[in-house]
Amino acid sequence: MSGVWKALAAAVLFGLSTPLAKGLLGSTSPQVLAGLFYLSSGIGLRLMGLVPRLRPFLRAEAPLRREDQPWLAGAVVFGGILGPLLLLVGLQRTTGSAASLLLNLEGVFTALLAWFVFKENVDRRIALGMALIVAGGTVLSWQGGPEWGELAGPLAVGAACLCWAIDNNLTQKVSAGDPVQIAAIKGLVAGSVNVGIALALGAAPPPPSLVAGAAAVGFACFRVSLMLYVLGLRELGTARTGAYFSFAPFVGAVASLLLWREPVTPSLVAAGALMAAGLWLHLTERHDHWHVHEPLEHVHRHVHDEHHRHEHAPDDPTGEPHTHLHRHELLAHRHAHFPDIHHRHPH
């Protein structure tokens, strides 16, 4: 269940970014602020490697391998470059209420791609829970009848959501790797591109005080959140992690009540009830059946549990958890499990 709490913690941190960002708006454009969140957080994660106490933890994680590079490059392009660009294009051509509703498509697209393209297991309980969580997000963002305007705007926002869904599924492919390294690369590349686009469009350079505030919020609410999200992907699979992460808008709304004394609305109460029902369905899931592990060779952080009974080479690290190349032999057994990096078998 540790993956569940990591995914929920990622949602809480990311949800807090909205009310905290509200306090930083006014000194620069939203595009520059979003870019600063990514860029400063990527720099912060790189600096983590210089902290002596963190080095043992970082060394215990598996570095990205050459075969991971295409997946990560695709995630950066779709999630860090195309997604934000399409969102900006869409926001210029549609209203905020319509865009808020459309942004709920990210969770839907993430789950659909995981289930039908990447063949992740799904059952009716998980599908219903996902539907309730997305419905809660829709109720939360509903501001009356949305004004759709011309078709190009909504299509661009929907395309941005599809890009982020592709990003989520591609990131799952590298989730066995070091989450700090993954989050740092995505932050540095996406932040540089987004700030560059905003400045090229005529945005004014931000003042130093804003950069400092964006660095703090970006590091905690974006990059630490992404690190936890990657760990959730590793342990839960894409669709379930995406479902828990869809709880972020509700966290942001509740935080806004406390920070900015916004009113409690019927839509907030209804959204909370729907999301709570969806989370309950996911938290009480028990997926248990006889399954076969095909032979597999990979690298990731692990301890010697029932799935890791391999022998060690003389140069392999001692102590647990540790990381090294290891091979899983053919294994058939039954136990409760999620579609983690060891349980992506067909059903």
Side-chain angles (χ1 to χ4, degrees), residues 301-305 307-308 310 320-322:
R301 178 187 177 105
H302 64 276
V303 297
H304 286 179
D305 54 19
H307 293 99
H308 297 88
H310 48 264
E320 296 182 16
H322 56 231

Side-chain angles (χ1 to χ4, degrees), residues 131-177:
L132 289 173
I133 292 171
V134 171
T138 303
V139 170
L140 188 64
S141 59
W142 185 268
Q143 303 292 331
E147 300 173 10
W148 297 101
E150 61 178 289
L151 188 59
L155 286 177
V157 176
C161 292
L162 179 59
C163 286
W164 287 319
I166 294 172
D167 169 20
N168 294 336
N169 280 276
L170 295 180
T171 300
Q172 195 267 354
K173 291 292 187 179
V174 300
S175 60

Side-chain angles (χ1 to χ4, degrees), residues 52-346:
R53 290 186 178 181
L54 293 178
R55 286 174 185 167
F57 168 79
L58 298 177
R59 282 198 296 267
E61 288 289 348
L64 293 172
R65 307 172 72 187
R66 178 169 297 181
E67 52 264 38
D68 295 328
Q69 293 177 2
W71 300 112
L72 183 58
V76 170
V77 170
F78 280 101
I81 299 174
L82 293 179
L85 182 59
L86 285 166
L87 179 62
L88 293 178
V89 172
L91 288 175
Q92 290 175 343
R93 293 170 171 81
T94 190
T95 62
S97 59
S100 297
L101 289 174
L102 286 166
L103 287 174
N104 288 293
L105 289 174
E106 180 184 348
V108 177
F109 287 153
T110 296
L112 292 177
L113 286 174
W115 296 337
F116 296 108
V117 177
F118 293 93
K119 306 303 181 182
E120 190 171 295
N121 173 62
V122 60
D123 55 32
R124 284 180 291 183
R125 184 186 190 89
I126 293 301
L128 178 58
M130 181 67 190
L132 289 173
I133 292 171
V134 171
T138 303
V139 170
L140 188 64
S141 59
W142 185 268
Q143 303 292 331
E147 300 173 10
W148 297 101
E150 61 178 289
L151 188 59
L155 286 177
V157 176
C161 292
L162 179 59
C163 286
W164 287 319
I166 294 172
D167 169 20
N168 294 336
N169 280 276
L170 295 180
T171 300
Q172 195 267 354
K173 291 292 187 179
V174 300
S175 60
D178 182 355
V180 175
Q181 187 180 9
I182 293 170
I185 292 173
K186 295 180 76 172
L188 288 170
V189 175
S192 300
V193 170
N194 290 333
V195 169
I197 291 174
L199 295 177
L201 292 175
S209 59
L210 180 69
V211 174
V217 174
F219 180 77
C221 298
F222 284 80
R223 293 309 97 182
V224 174
S225 173
L226 178 57
M227 289 166 50
L228 292 167
Y229 187 85
V230 171
L231 292 173
L233 289 172
R234 181 188 298 178
E235 299 179 30
L236 301 177
T238 312
R240 288 163 177 81
T241 305
Y244 288 123
F245 197 73
S246 297
F247 194 61
F250 182 75
V251 173
V254 173
S256 294
L257 294 178
L258 301 175
L259 288 174
W260 308 114
R261 301 191 183 279
E262 296 179 355
V264 177
T265 62
S267 63
L268 180 62
V269 176
L274 288 168
M275 289 183 166
L279 286 174
W280 178 81
L281 287 172
H282 281 233
L283 289 171
T284 55
E285 174 197 12
R286 183 173 177 81
H287 184 71
D288 185 339
H289 64 94
W290 183 266
H291 57 277
V292 176
H293 295 268
E294 299 294 338
L296 171 67
E297 189 173 84
H298 62 177
V299 180
H300 67 95
R301 178 187 177 105
H302 64 276
V303 297
H304 286 179
D305 54 19
E306 62 178 323
H307 293 99
H308 297 88
R309 296 175 178 172
H310 48 264
E311 298 293 330
H312 273 206
D315 295 333
D316 287 340
T318 58
E320 296 182 16
H322 56 231
T323 297
H324 61 88
L325 180 67
H326 57 278
R327 178 176 174 81
H328 298 267
E329 300 298 340
L330 183 69
L331 172 66
H333 60 177
R334 177 171 184 166
H335 64 96
H337 59 277
F338 293 108
D340 58 26
I341 60 174
H342 296 104
H343 294 92
R344 296 173 184 167
H345 46 261

Side-chain angles (χ1 to χ4, degrees), residues 42-58:
I43 295 172
L45 289 175
R46 280 300 186 190
L47 294 177
M48 282 179 61
L50 302 178
V51 180
R53 290 186 178 181
L54 293 178
R55 286 174 185 167
F57 168 79
L58 298 177

